[in-house]
């Protein structure tokens, strides 16, 4: 069994701030020492640009960089390293798709289907593209239990729907959508639909297998999975990537440049213009190794246990507090969002922060979802492998203080 | 130290100067869409002096207390004085310190006031 108290010892921030109760891993995760050490290792022992140098340092850096690509390939069960592209974050991965793929295939009158529970980064790019092209965004709503209305996919998807883009795990509700089934059903309605999965909240917390999901593209961020900031991943099927034009032009992504024309490299390099976040990509593999060592199934179970415990105590002890999202979702991650009728989420978060408890307050970059629920903002507590049951207890105590202070 | 001091809590729970002005000289609505805060503010000005100011709004305790304290303070002051009011002055009224993410809540009523005086 996963022991969060032992795991905490691997994260230097807890040594520096022993009283820290960090319940905002959905925004970004803390970093274990091995990841931080790997960043240092690059800067201190083989700091050089990749691909360009014919000297030893550059070769070492290139090897380390490409090794991360291979690790990601096996981590998400991709077919080859040509399918794994490094970007800056999930948002950039999704924007890359929007600019490169969306711009090419979306014509006037076409449709894209998405869901009401998307993070803005998987919503706004498509919405803006469709405004420009004169197409329609079909938004899959919630059903009466608060999950995605997937029983009525034909209401949202037709032969006109070129792309389905949806989140695996909602960063607000914590629900994991049944991606595999939804994609199967969408392809029954329209076999040529392209499916894009925002896995920013899935890859860090559960085993993700792109072959099993059956999607065409998948995006996630390093910083949410114990890795460094500044790196995102885009996985895509090679045949589709081959057909897509580059997103950014510049160094590293070309094979020949002449005054009148340019030939681009093959994927993944044609999508990686300029010097990337070398140290960060290199260190990302240590995060993946760490996650695999602890075990994603273990992590998932641990988070679910903490979330159930939190939901139970919130329900038992606070009359004027509401937890949002499906009540009995079997497939929920470690995310609990709630609000008090009487207190503004900012005041709640601020009082908690005075007790070293970090939660998020606001709309969590999911304004359409909050509008749908008739809320302006909520408080979100999220759990990861280093959180303990006593972290949840501290949250509950803190919320009792909130009730006492704000009356 | 907590920012939820007696004065703040008192103003947040029982805000002064709420409601509307019958024939305002000017009226404005300001938003902070990220936290869903919204303030409507009316002002009555005679001979370049603020005679009355009232607000209505929804928001957190800090934004409510800030609106209440600010509206109390501006009454009787001249437009000239108010136009030169800075963030710092606003924080002096509140007598608390706020981080960069939270300060927006306290500055929303100041934004409303400054729009009213344009
Ligand atoms: C579901 C989801 N999608 C996308 C993102 C965007 O990630 P990033 O900020 O790393 O681009 C987030 C992170 O907040 C998220 O939770």
């Amino acid at each position: 069994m996963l022991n969060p108290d032992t795991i905490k010892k691997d994260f230097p921030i807890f040594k520096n701030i022993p009283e820290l109760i960090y319940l905002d891993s959905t925004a970004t995760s803390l970093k274990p020492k091995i990841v931080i050490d790997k960043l240092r290792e690059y800067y201190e022992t083989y700091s050089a640009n990749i691909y360009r140098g014919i000297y030893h340092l550059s070769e070492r850096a290139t090897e380390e960089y490409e090794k991360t690509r291979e690790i990601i390939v096996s981590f998400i069960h991709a077919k080859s390293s040509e399918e794994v592209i490094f970007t800056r974050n999930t948002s950039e991965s999704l924007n890359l798709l929007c600019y490169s793929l969306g711009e090419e295939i979306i014509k006037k009158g076409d449709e894209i289907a998405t869901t009401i529970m998307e993070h803005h980064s998987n919503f706004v790019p498509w919405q803006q593209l469709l405004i420009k092209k004169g197409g329609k965004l079909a938004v899959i709503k919630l059903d009466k239990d608060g999950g995605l209305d997937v029983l009525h996919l034909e209401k949202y998807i037709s032969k006109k729907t070129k792309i389905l883009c949806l989140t695996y795990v909602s960063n607000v509700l914590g629900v994991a959508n049944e991606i595999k089934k939804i994609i199967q059903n969408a392809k029954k309605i329209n076999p040529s639909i392209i499916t894009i999965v925002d896995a920013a909240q899935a890859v860090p917390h559960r085993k993700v297998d792109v072959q099993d999901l059956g999607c065409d593209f998948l995006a996630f961020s390093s910083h949410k999975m114990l890795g460094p900031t500044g790196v995102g991943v885009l996985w895509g099927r090679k045949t589709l990537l081959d057909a897509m034009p580059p997103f950014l032009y510049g160094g590293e992504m070309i094979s020949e440049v002449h005054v009148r024309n340019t030939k681009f490299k093959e994927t993944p390099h044609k999508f990686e213009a300029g010097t990337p976040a070398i140290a960060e990509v290199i260190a990302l593999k240590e995060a993946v190794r760490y996650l695999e060592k602890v075990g994603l199934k273990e992590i998932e179970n641990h988070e679910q246990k903490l979330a159930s415990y939190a939901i139970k105590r919130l329900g038992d002890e606070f009359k004027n507090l509401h937890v949002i999202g499906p009540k009995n979702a079997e497939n929920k991650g470690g995310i609990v969002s709630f609000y008090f009728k009487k207190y503004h989420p900012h005041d709640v978060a601020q009082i908690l922060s005075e007790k070293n408890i970090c939660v998020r307050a606001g709309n969590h970059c999911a304004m359409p979802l909050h509008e749908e629920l008739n809320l302006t903002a909520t408080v979100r507590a999220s759990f990861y492998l280093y959180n303990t049951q006593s972290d949840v207890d501290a949250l509950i105590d803190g919320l009792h203080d909130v009730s006492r202070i704000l009356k | 130290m907590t920012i939820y001091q007696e004065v703040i809590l008192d103003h947040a729970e029982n805000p002064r100067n709420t409601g509307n002005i019958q024939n305002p000289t000017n009226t404005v609505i300001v938003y902070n869409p990220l936290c869903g805060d919204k303030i409507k503010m009316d002002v009555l000005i005679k001979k370049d002096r603020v005679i009355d100011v009232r607000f209505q709004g929804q928001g957190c305790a800090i934004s409510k207390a800030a609106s209440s304290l600010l509206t109390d303070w501006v009454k009787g002051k001249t437009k000239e004085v108010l136009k030169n009011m800075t963030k710092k002055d606003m924080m002096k009224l509140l007598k608390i310190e706020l981080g960069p993410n939270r300060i927006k809540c306290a500055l929303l009523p100041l934004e409303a006031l400054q729009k009213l005086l344009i």
Side-chain angles (χ1 to χ4, degrees):
Chain A
M1 262 231 319
L2 181 160
N3 182 349
D5 288 310
T6 332
I7 286 178
K8 273 198 161 130
K9 297 204 176 79
D10 296 332
F11 289 72
I13 197 161
F14 291 116
K15 207 182 287 160
N16 296 324
I17 317 171
E19 63 281 13
L20 175 66
I21 294 169
Y22 188 74
L23 303 178
D24 199 17
S25 297
T26 296
T28 195
S29 73
L30 304 175
K31 318 300 173 201
K33 186 161 184 304
I34 46 155
V35 168
I36 302 165
D37 286 347
K38 195 73 182 174
L39 290 168
R40 284 182 74 99
E41 178 192 279
Y42 164 77
Y43 288 118
E44 293 183 354
T45 61
Y46 47 92
S47 183
N49 212 324
I50 49 172
Y51 308 130
R52 301 178 190 184
I54 313 296
Y55 45 89
H56 180 68
L57 290 191
S58 175
E59 282 174 343
R60 170 87 197 273
T62 308
E63 266 166 29
E64 289 277 356
Y65 184 90
E66 287 302 325
K67 181 72 193 165
T68 300
R69 214 189 293 275
E70 285 165 31
I71 299 255
I72 298 290
V73 167
S74 58
F75 185 52
I76 60 171
H77 208 181
K79 288 221 166 99
S80 76
S81 58
E82 293 160 313
E83 297 184 331
V84 172
I85 297 157
F86 291 120
T87 61
R88 282 189 305 139
N89 45 41
T90 303
S91 304
E92 190 175 278
S93 296
L94 294 166
N95 274 276
L96 186 159
L97 287 176
C98 188
Y99 280 94
S100 176
L101 176 83
E103 278 285 346
E104 288 287 301
I105 67 169
I106 296 295
K107 305 274 180 292
K108 193 172 177 199
D110 284 346
E111 298 191 5
I112 294 176
T114 186
T115 84
I116 192 72
M117 61 168 80
E118 296 309 310
H119 186 280
H120 295 160
S121 69
N122 197 27
F123 195 89
V124 182
W126 309 111
Q127 177 200 55
Q128 294 301 309
L129 176 73
L130 290 165
I131 290 173
K132 198 169 113 189
K133 299 271 183 169
K136 191 184 131 198
L137 188 66
V139 183
I140 303 175
K141 294 288 184 63
L142 302 179
D143 63 18
K144 62 178 191 324
D145 297 326
L148 267 193
D149 180 23
V150 288
L151 291 178
H152 305 100
L153 269 192
E154 66 288 344
K155 271 196 340 214
Y156 310 100
I157 294 174
S158 70
K159 289 267 193 295
K160 279 195 275 186
T161 316
K162 291 275 158 54
I163 297 173
L164 166 65
C165 48
L166 80 170
T167 191
Y168 193 155
V169 175
S170 156
N171 68 322
V172 180
L173 305 172
V175 279
N177 296 313
E178 291 181 85
I179 296 292
K180 186 175 176 174
K181 212 157 104 194
I182 297 171
I183 288 178
Q184 279 171 355
N185 290 339
K187 292 209 170 182
K188 270 184 211 147
I189 302 170
N190 179 4
S192 62
I193 195 167
I194 288 177
T195 56
I196 298 169
V197 176
D198 172 355
Q201 297 303 343
V203 169
H205 306 281
R206 57 178 61 220
K207 186 69 200 152
V208 171
D209 177 333
V210 292
Q211 308 306 333
D212 182 54
L213 290 179
C215 54
D216 296 310
F217 295 96
L218 184 112
F220 55 98
S221 294
S222 153
H223 71 94
K224 294 184 197 283
M225 53 187 284
L226 312 183
T229 56
V231 183
V233 175
L234 173 64
W235 167 83
R237 291 193 189 281
K238 179 157 182 309
T239 45
L240 292 168
L241 292 171
D242 283 342
M244 282 159 52
F247 163 51
L248 298 171
Y249 301 107
E252 311 286 19
M253 51 80 65
I254 46 83
S255 62
E256 288 171 41
V257 179
H258 308 285
V259 173
R260 301 270 172 243
N261 60 65
T262 293
K263 272 199 186 145
F264 307 118
K265 277 190 184 152
E266 301 289 318
T267 179
H269 304 292
K270 87 173 161 189
F271 297 107
E272 293 179 8
T275 301
I278 300 172
E280 289 80 359
V281 169
I282 286 173
L284 168 59
K285 66 173 155 300
E286 297 303 330
V288 174
R289 284 174 173 149
Y290 189 90
L291 288 172
E292 289 195 312
K293 200 176 81 194
V294 177
L296 280 139
K297 194 69 207 163
E298 296 275 310
I299 294 173
E300 187 185 340
N301 292 343
H302 175 70
E303 288 176 20
Q304 247 167 25
K305 234 172 35 209
L306 291 180
S308 311
Y309 176 66
I311 290 172
K312 168 124 190 19
R313 285 200 65 184
L314 290 172
D316 288 350
E317 295 174 40
F318 298 91
K319 277 197 210 66
N320 53 358
L321 180 151
H322 301 263
V323 175
I324 63 169
K327 286 284 160 300
N328 37 18
E330 300 130 33
N331 211 358
K332 227 178 140 192
I335 300 174
V336 180
S337 295
F338 58 89
Y339 66 97
F340 285 94
K341 276 239 167 67
K342 277 170 59 189
Y343 318 136
H344 194 289
H346 278 177
D347 294 320
V348 176
Q350 182 96 40
I351 291 172
L352 292 176
S353 128
E354 288 168 2
K355 297 170 192 316
N356 301 303
I357 303 170
C358 311
V359 296
R360 177 88 181 261
N363 60 42
H364 323 302
C365 301
M367 216 159 155
L369 175 66
H370 280 78
E371 269 181 8
E372 180 77 3
L373 299 172
N374 254 320
L375 296 168
T376 44
T378 50
V379 180
R380 179 182 72 192
S382 54
F383 310 112
Y384 208 1
L385 69 177
Y386 36 65
N387 289 117
T388 58
Q389 184 161 323
S390 62
D391 289 345
V392 180
D393 293 333
L395 171 70
I396 302 289
D397 288 348
L399 291 172
H400 282 299
D401 286 340
V402 169
S403 310
R404 252 192 309 278
I405 293 171
L406 297 179
K407 289 192 257 318
Chain B
M1 197 180 66
T2 177
I3 62 164
Y4 295 91
Q5 321 252 331
E6 282 300 309
V7 183
I8 300 279
L9 288 174
D10 175 40
H11 277 265
E13 267 168 53
N14 312 296
R16 329 291 198 257
N17 311 309
T18 55
N20 304 302
I21 295 176
Q22 274 298 322
N23 294 302
T25 317
N26 203 354
T27 179
V28 73
I29 301 179
V30 290
Y31 299 92
N32 183 346
L34 282 182
C35 40
D37 289 0
K38 176 176 162 185
I39 300 172
K40 171 179 169 290
M41 204 180 271
D42 295 347
V43 70
L44 182 66
I45 297 174
K46 281 201 179 122
K47 295 200 181 118
D48 275 347
R49 220 171 256 284
V50 173
I51 305 295
D52 196 8
V53 55
R54 306 212 156 251
F55 77 97
Q56 276 184 317
Q58 40 179 305
C60 62
I62 298 302
S63 94
K64 272 193 240 160
S67 300
S68 176
L69 283 158
L70 179 70
T71 48
D72 250 2
W73 190 79
V74 301
K75 274 193 220 167
K77 302 263 184 327
T78 63
K79 267 172 89 168
E80 236 10 76
V81 172
L82 296 176
K83 267 190 189 158
N84 293 325
M85 215 180 148
T86 62
K87 283 185 196 178
K88 246 200 186 139
D89 299 328
M90 186 70 225
M91 298 320 290
K92 268 193 215 145
L93 278 180
L94 279 167
K95 299 196 180 69
I96 53 173
E97 288 197 17
L98 293 173
N101 294 341
R102 198 68 202 286
I103 200 161
K104 292 173 222 144
C105 307
L107 295 179
L108 195 60
L110 182 62
E111 181 191 327
L113 180 72
Q114 284 171 338
K115 284 195 172 148
L116 283 175
L117 299 177
I118 286 171

